């Protein structure tokens, strides 16, 4: 019984702990953690690019096809961004002063 309890206790104690590798030498540990926590906001478009637009690697022959495909993906990302911005504006206008709307 003791042999199955020890690994569970170890995993529970280390839950949420991870190592972070960086080449930043001028920042403190607290600043690095703050930068790490800002990462999802900085990479929001990357998440949209991979999930909503469902961009995936494909094999294209010819530089012009690669450029055209990349341009189409960028236009799709721009359209998504504009729709999201208009929706946020609309919700901000409709919910002006509402409690619990969070960050719109």
């Amino acid at each position: 019984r003791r042999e199955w309890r020890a690994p569970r206790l170890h995993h529970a104690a280390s839950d949420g702990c991870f190592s972070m590798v960086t080449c930043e030498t001028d920042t403190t540990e607290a600043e690095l953690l703050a930068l790490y926590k800002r990462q999802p906001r900085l990479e929001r478009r990357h998440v949209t690019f991979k999930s909503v637009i469902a961009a995936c690697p494909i094999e294209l022959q010819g530089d012009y096809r690669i450029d055209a495909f990349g341009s189409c993906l960028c236009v799709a990302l721009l359209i998504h961004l504009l729709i999201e911005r208009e929706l946020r504006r609309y919700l901000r206008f409709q919910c002006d002063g509402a409690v619990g709307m969070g960050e719109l």
Side-chain angles (χ1 to χ4, degrees):
R1 193 171 182 146
R2 186 180 281 181
E3 59 271 358
W4 62 266
R5 192 178 293 175
R8 287 182 50 195
L9 292 175
H10 172 72
H11 289 301
S14 63
D15 189 28
C17 296
F18 58 93
S19 59
M20 185 166 62
V21 179
T22 182
C23 58
E24 292 288 327
T25 57
D26 301 346
T27 56
T28 65
E29 293 169 354
E31 291 171 336
L32 281 175
L33 185 60
L35 287 171
Y36 177 76
K37 288 184 176 183
R38 275 190 49 212
Q39 186 177 1
R41 283 184 269 165
L42 297 175
E43 295 181 351
R44 183 180 301 169
R45 299 297 157 225
H46 185 268
V47 170
T48 302
F49 191 66
K50 289 294 190 178
S51 62
V52 176
I53 297 175
C56 60
I58 61 171
E59 186 175 331
L60 295 173
Q61 296 174 354
D63 292 342
Y64 66 95
R65 288 183 180 210
I66 295 170
D67 289 340
F69 185 67
S71 297
C72 289
L73 289 175
C74 288
V75 168
L77 192 60
L78 180 63
I79 290 170
H80 185 272
L81 170 86
L82 292 173
I83 291 171
E84 186 179 84
R85 188 176 79 176
E86 287 301 312
L87 182 62
R88 287 177 190 269
R89 282 184 181 174
Y90 176 77
L91 288 175
R92 189 174 293 131
F93 177 74
Q94 292 295 320
C95 303
D96 191 26
V99 178
M101 283 307 296
E103 181 187 333
L104 286 180

